[in-house]
Amino acid sequence: EIVLTQSPGTLSLSPGERATLSCRASQRVTGNYLAWYQQKPGQAPRLLIFDASRRATDIPDRFSGSGSGTDFTLTISRLEPEDFAAYYCQQYGSSLPNTFGQGTNLEFK
Amino acid sequence: EVQLVESGGGLVQPGGSLRLSCAASGFTVSSDYMIWVRQAPGRGLEWVSLIYSDGNTKYADSVKGRFTISRDISKNTVFLQMNSLRPEDTAVYFCAKDDYGAYWGQGTLVTVSS
Protein backbone atom coordinates (compact mmCIF):
# COMPACT_ATOMS: atom_id res chain seq x y z
CA GLU A 1 0.00 0.00 0.00
CA ILE A 2 1.28 3.45 -0.90
CA VAL A 3 1.31 5.78 2.12
CA LEU A 4 0.89 9.47 1.33
CA THR A 5 2.29 11.96 3.85
CA GLN A 6 1.12 15.56 3.57
CA SER A 7 2.94 18.51 5.05
CA PRO A 8 2.48 20.71 6.83
CA GLY A 9 -0.45 19.50 8.86
CA THR A 10 -1.62 23.09 9.30
CA LEU A 11 -0.63 26.10 7.22
CA SER A 12 -1.41 29.59 8.52
CA LEU A 13 -1.41 32.29 5.85
CA SER A 14 -3.17 35.49 4.88
CA PRO A 15 -5.20 36.32 1.76
CA GLY A 16 -2.92 37.31 -1.10
CA GLU A 17 -0.08 35.07 0.03
CA ARG A 18 1.23 32.01 -1.77
CA ALA A 19 0.49 28.54 -0.39
CA THR A 20 2.66 25.50 -1.03
CA LEU A 21 1.35 22.10 0.08
CA SER A 22 3.40 18.93 -0.12
CA CYS A 23 2.42 15.29 -0.65
CA ARG A 24 5.12 12.63 -0.40
CA ALA A 25 4.54 9.00 -1.35
CA SER A 26 6.18 5.97 0.26
CA GLN A 27 6.82 4.56 -3.23
CA ARG A 28 6.59 5.79 -6.77
CA VAL A 29 3.08 6.76 -7.86
CA THR A 30 2.41 4.84 -11.05
CA GLY A 31 1.67 7.08 -14.02
CA ASN A 32 1.80 10.10 -11.69
CA TYR A 33 -1.84 9.37 -10.96
CA LEU A 34 -2.08 11.90 -8.16
CA ALA A 35 -5.09 14.09 -7.39
CA TRP A 36 -5.68 17.04 -5.07
CA TYR A 37 -8.99 17.90 -3.41
CA GLN A 38 -10.36 20.82 -1.43
CA GLN A 39 -12.89 20.18 1.31
CA LYS A 40 -14.83 22.69 3.37
CA PRO A 41 -16.67 21.74 6.59
CA GLY A 42 -19.90 19.86 5.95
CA GLN A 43 -19.21 19.57 2.22
CA ALA A 44 -18.03 16.86 -0.14
CA PRO A 45 -14.48 17.08 -1.46
CA ARG A 46 -13.98 19.00 -4.70
CA LEU A 47 -11.47 17.84 -7.28
CA LEU A 48 -8.83 20.47 -8.03
CA ILE A 49 -6.01 18.62 -9.84
CA PHE A 50 -5.67 15.17 -11.40
CA ASP A 51 -2.80 13.39 -13.13
CA ALA A 52 -0.53 15.47 -10.87
CA SER A 53 -0.83 18.69 -12.89
CA ARG A 54 -4.11 18.83 -14.84
CA ARG A 55 -6.65 21.30 -13.51
CA ALA A 56 -10.21 20.02 -13.19
CA THR A 57 -13.14 21.74 -14.85
CA ASP A 58 -13.86 25.27 -13.59
CA ILE A 59 -10.88 25.36 -11.23
CA PRO A 60 -9.20 28.80 -11.17
CA ASP A 61 -5.69 28.99 -12.58
CA ARG A 62 -4.28 30.16 -9.24
CA PHE A 63 -4.33 26.44 -8.36
CA SER A 64 -1.51 24.40 -9.89
CA GLY A 65 -0.08 20.95 -9.33
CA SER A 66 3.42 19.71 -9.97
CA GLY A 67 5.74 16.84 -9.20
CA SER A 68 6.35 13.25 -10.20
CA GLY A 69 7.47 9.94 -8.77
CA THR A 70 7.16 10.34 -5.01
CA ASP A 71 7.05 14.11 -4.49
CA PHE A 72 4.09 16.27 -5.41
CA THR A 73 3.09 19.85 -4.71
CA LEU A 74 -0.11 21.86 -4.80
CA THR A 75 0.47 25.59 -5.15
CA ILE A 76 -2.10 28.32 -4.68
CA SER A 77 -0.46 31.38 -6.17
CA ARG A 78 -2.47 34.08 -4.43
CA LEU A 79 -4.89 33.06 -1.69
CA GLU A 80 -8.50 34.17 -1.84
CA PRO A 81 -10.71 34.09 1.29
CA GLU A 82 -12.65 31.11 -0.09
CA ASP A 83 -9.45 29.02 -0.37
CA PHE A 84 -9.14 28.46 3.38
CA ALA A 85 -10.12 24.82 3.76
CA ALA A 86 -8.69 21.31 4.09
CA TYR A 87 -6.70 19.83 1.22
CA TYR A 88 -6.10 16.16 0.49
CA CYS A 89 -3.94 14.33 -2.00
CA GLN A 90 -4.89 10.90 -3.38
CA GLN A 91 -3.07 8.35 -5.48
CA TYR A 92 -5.22 6.29 -7.85
CA GLY A 93 -4.87 3.97 -10.82
CA SER A 94 -3.38 0.51 -10.60
CA SER A 95 -1.72 0.90 -7.17
CA LEU A 96 -4.42 -0.61 -4.99
CA PRO A 97 -5.74 0.19 -2.55
CA ASN A 98 -5.95 3.78 -3.71
CA THR A 99 -5.03 5.96 -0.74
CA PHE A 100 -5.41 9.50 0.58
CA GLY A 101 -3.01 11.66 2.51
CA GLN A 102 -4.00 12.74 6.01
CA GLY A 103 -4.72 16.29 4.87
CA THR A 104 -3.41 19.83 5.27
CA ASN A 105 -5.59 22.42 7.00
CA LEU A 106 -5.13 25.85 5.44
CA GLU A 107 -6.20 28.45 8.00
CA PHE A 108 -6.27 32.23 8.34
CA LYS A 109 -3.21 33.71 9.98
CA GLU B 1 -25.04 17.83 -15.71
CA VAL B 2 -23.47 15.11 -13.58
CA GLN B 3 -25.21 14.48 -10.26
CA LEU B 4 -24.73 11.84 -7.59
CA VAL B 5 -27.18 11.34 -4.72
CA GLU B 6 -26.41 8.95 -1.88
CA SER B 7 -29.04 7.44 0.41
CA GLY B 8 -29.48 4.58 2.83
CA GLY B 9 -27.45 5.75 5.79
CA GLY B 10 -28.68 5.61 9.36
CA LEU B 11 -28.15 4.18 12.82
CA VAL B 12 -27.38 0.47 13.04
CA GLN B 13 -26.20 -1.79 15.85
CA PRO B 14 -22.80 -3.49 15.73
CA GLY B 15 -23.01 -6.62 13.62
CA GLY B 16 -25.86 -5.21 11.58
CA SER B 17 -26.17 -4.43 7.88
CA LEU B 18 -26.99 -1.48 5.66
CA ARG B 19 -27.16 -0.94 1.92
CA LEU B 20 -26.12 2.44 0.59
CA SER B 21 -27.28 3.68 -2.81
CA CYS B 22 -25.71 6.20 -5.14
CA ALA B 23 -28.11 7.35 -7.85
CA ALA B 24 -26.36 8.89 -10.82
CA SER B 25 -27.57 11.23 -13.56
CA GLY B 26 -25.82 12.92 -16.46
CA PHE B 27 -23.72 9.88 -17.28
CA THR B 28 -23.93 6.07 -17.25
CA VAL B 29 -22.43 4.30 -14.25
CA SER B 30 -21.38 1.34 -16.40
CA SER B 31 -19.17 3.57 -18.57
CA ASP B 32 -16.99 4.87 -15.74
CA TYR B 33 -15.19 3.77 -12.61
CA MET B 34 -17.16 4.49 -9.44
CA ILE B 35 -15.75 4.67 -5.93
CA TRP B 36 -16.93 4.86 -2.33
CA VAL B 37 -14.96 6.97 0.12
CA ARG B 38 -15.72 7.48 3.80
CA GLN B 39 -14.86 10.08 6.39
CA ALA B 40 -15.12 9.36 10.09
CA PRO B 41 -16.18 12.31 12.28
CA GLY B 42 -13.36 14.85 12.45
CA ARG B 43 -11.04 12.63 10.40
CA GLY B 44 -9.62 12.49 6.89
CA LEU B 45 -10.78 10.69 3.77
CA GLU B 46 -10.52 6.90 3.48
CA TRP B 47 -10.85 5.03 0.19
CA VAL B 48 -13.30 2.12 0.60
CA SER B 49 -14.15 0.45 -2.70
CA LEU B 50 -14.04 0.70 -6.50
CA ILE B 51 -16.07 -0.82 -9.31
CA TYR B 52 -14.52 -0.72 -12.76
CA SER B 53 -16.46 -0.15 -15.95
CA ASP B 54 -16.05 -3.88 -16.70
CA GLY B 55 -17.66 -4.74 -13.36
CA ASN B 56 -14.53 -5.87 -11.51
CA THR B 57 -14.35 -4.70 -7.91
CA LYS B 58 -11.68 -3.77 -5.35
CA TYR B 59 -11.80 -3.10 -1.60
CA ALA B 60 -9.78 -1.61 1.20
CA ASP B 61 -8.41 -4.25 3.57
CA SER B 62 -10.49 -2.75 6.40
CA VAL B 63 -13.76 -3.70 4.66
CA LYS B 64 -12.79 -6.71 2.54
CA GLY B 65 -15.13 -9.64 3.11
CA ARG B 66 -17.74 -7.42 4.78
CA PHE B 67 -18.64 -4.83 2.12
CA THR B 68 -19.76 -5.46 -1.46
CA ILE B 69 -19.95 -2.86 -4.22
CA SER B 70 -22.34 -3.45 -7.10
CA ARG B 71 -24.38 -1.57 -9.68
CA ASP B 72 -27.78 -1.71 -11.36
CA ILE B 73 -27.45 -0.34 -14.88
CA SER B 74 -31.22 -0.15 -15.36
CA LYS B 75 -31.43 2.20 -12.36
CA ASN B 76 -28.08 3.89 -13.10
CA THR B 77 -27.23 3.31 -9.44
CA VAL B 78 -24.23 2.01 -7.54
CA PHE B 79 -24.64 0.23 -4.21
CA LEU B 80 -22.51 -0.53 -1.18
CA GLN B 81 -23.77 -3.48 0.84
CA MET B 82 -22.26 -3.30 4.31
CA ASN B 83 -22.44 -6.33 6.59
CA SER B 84 -20.97 -7.15 10.00
CA LEU B 85 -20.76 -3.44 10.76
CA ARG B 86 -18.40 -2.23 13.49
CA PRO B 87 -18.30 1.02 15.47
CA GLU B 88 -15.20 2.02 13.51
CA ASP B 89 -17.30 1.99 10.30
CA THR B 90 -19.11 5.09 11.58
CA ALA B 91 -18.57 7.76 8.95
CA VAL B 92 -20.06 9.84 6.18
CA TYR B 93 -19.96 7.72 3.04
CA PHE B 94 -19.47 9.45 -0.29
CA CYS B 95 -19.74 8.01 -3.77
CA ALA B 96 -17.73 9.57 -6.58
CA LYS B 97 -17.34 9.26 -10.33
CA ASP B 98 -13.97 8.08 -11.69
CA ASP B 99 -11.13 6.75 -9.55
CA TYR B 100 -9.86 10.31 -9.20
CA GLY B 101 -13.18 11.59 -7.88
CA ALA B 102 -14.24 13.93 -10.66
CA TYR B 103 -17.71 14.37 -9.15
CA TRP B 104 -18.98 13.60 -5.66
CA GLY B 105 -22.31 13.13 -3.96
CA GLN B 106 -23.23 14.97 -0.77
CA GLY B 107 -22.64 11.91 1.41
CA THR B 108 -24.77 9.81 3.74
CA LEU B 109 -24.06 9.29 7.44
CA VAL B 110 -23.69 5.78 8.84
CA THR B 111 -23.60 5.43 12.61
CA VAL B 112 -22.77 2.06 14.15
CA SER B 113 -23.64 2.07 17.82
CA SER B 114 -25.59 0.12 20.39
Side-chain angles (χ1 to χ4, degrees), chain A residues 35 37 39 43-45 47 50 88 90 92-93 96-98 100 102, chain B residues 37 39 43-47 50 52 58 94 99-102 104-105:
Chain A
Y37 302 91
Q39 188 182 33
Q43 296 185 15
L47 178 68
F50 65 102
Y88 296 92
Q90 179 214 10
Y92 55 95
L96 292 164
N98 294 164
F100 288 89
Q102 84 282 12
Chain B
V37 173
Q39 187 169 37
R43 306 295 297 272
L45 302 171
E46 180 186 11
W47 183 89
L50 160 71
Y52 294 99
K58 298 294 181 183
F94 298 98
D99 55 348
Y100 57 84
W104 294 66

Side-chain angles (χ1 to χ4, degrees), chain B:
Chain B
E1 180 191 3
V2 172
Q3 282 196 324
L4 297 167
V5 179
E6 300 97 335
S7 61
L11 174 63
V12 62
Q13 292 188 336
S17 298
L18 277 178
R19 188 176 83 154
L20 306 184
S21 300
C22 171
S25 58
F27 73 103
T28 304
V29 297
S30 58
S31 63
D32 287 290
Y33 297 2
M34 295 291 294
I35 62 174
W36 286 95
V37 173
R38 67 185 180 183
Q39 187 169 37
R43 306 295 297 272
L45 302 171
E46 180 186 11
W47 183 89
V48 172
S49 184
L50 160 71
I51 184 164
Y52 294 99
S53 50
D54 66 3
N56 282 330
T57 60
K58 298 294 181 183
Y59 301 93
D61 286 346
S62 58
V63 307
K64 199 173 295 182
R66 301 187 298 124
F67 290 11
T68 302
I69 189 171
S70 62
R71 66 191 182 194
D72 184 330
I73 297 171
S74 67
K75 296 180 180 178
N76 210 32
T77 298
V78 176
F79 303 99
L80 187 68
Q81 177 68 43
M82 305 186 297
N83 299 330
S84 301
L85 282 162
R86 305 167 180 168
E88 55 265 35
D89 295 318
T90 294
V92 175
Y93 285 73
F94 298 98
C95 65
K97 177 182 179 295
D98 296 315
D99 55 348
Y100 57 84
Y103 297 91
W104 294 66
Q106 82 290 350
T108 187
L109 176 62
V110 173
T111 303
V112 184
S113 175
S114 54

Side-chain angles (χ1 to χ4, degrees), chain A residues 1 5-7 10 12 17 19 25-26 31 37 41 43 47 66 68-69 72 74 77 96 104:
Chain A
E1 173 177 322
T5 302
Q6 292 187 239
S7 61
T10 300
S12 301
E17 291 191 293
S26 60
Y37 302 91
Q43 296 185 15
L47 178 68
S66 62
S68 65
F72 299 88
L74 174 69
S77 60
L96 292 164
T104 289

Side-chain angles (χ1 to χ4, degrees), chain A residues 25-71:
Chain A
S26 60
Q27 54 189 285
R28 188 178 66 88
V29 176
T30 304
N32 293 324
Y33 291 137
L34 193 287
W36 288 94
Y37 302 91
Q38 177 193 71
Q39 188 182 33
K40 297 180 180 179
Q43 296 185 15
R46 177 174 73 143
L47 178 68
L48 301 174
I49 301 289
F50 65 102
D51 293 354
S53 61
R54 299 176 65 184
R55 253 189 313 274
T57 304
D58 296 330
I59 300 303
D61 61 7
R62 65 180 181 273
F63 292 92
S64 63
S66 62
S68 65
T70 61
D71 288 292

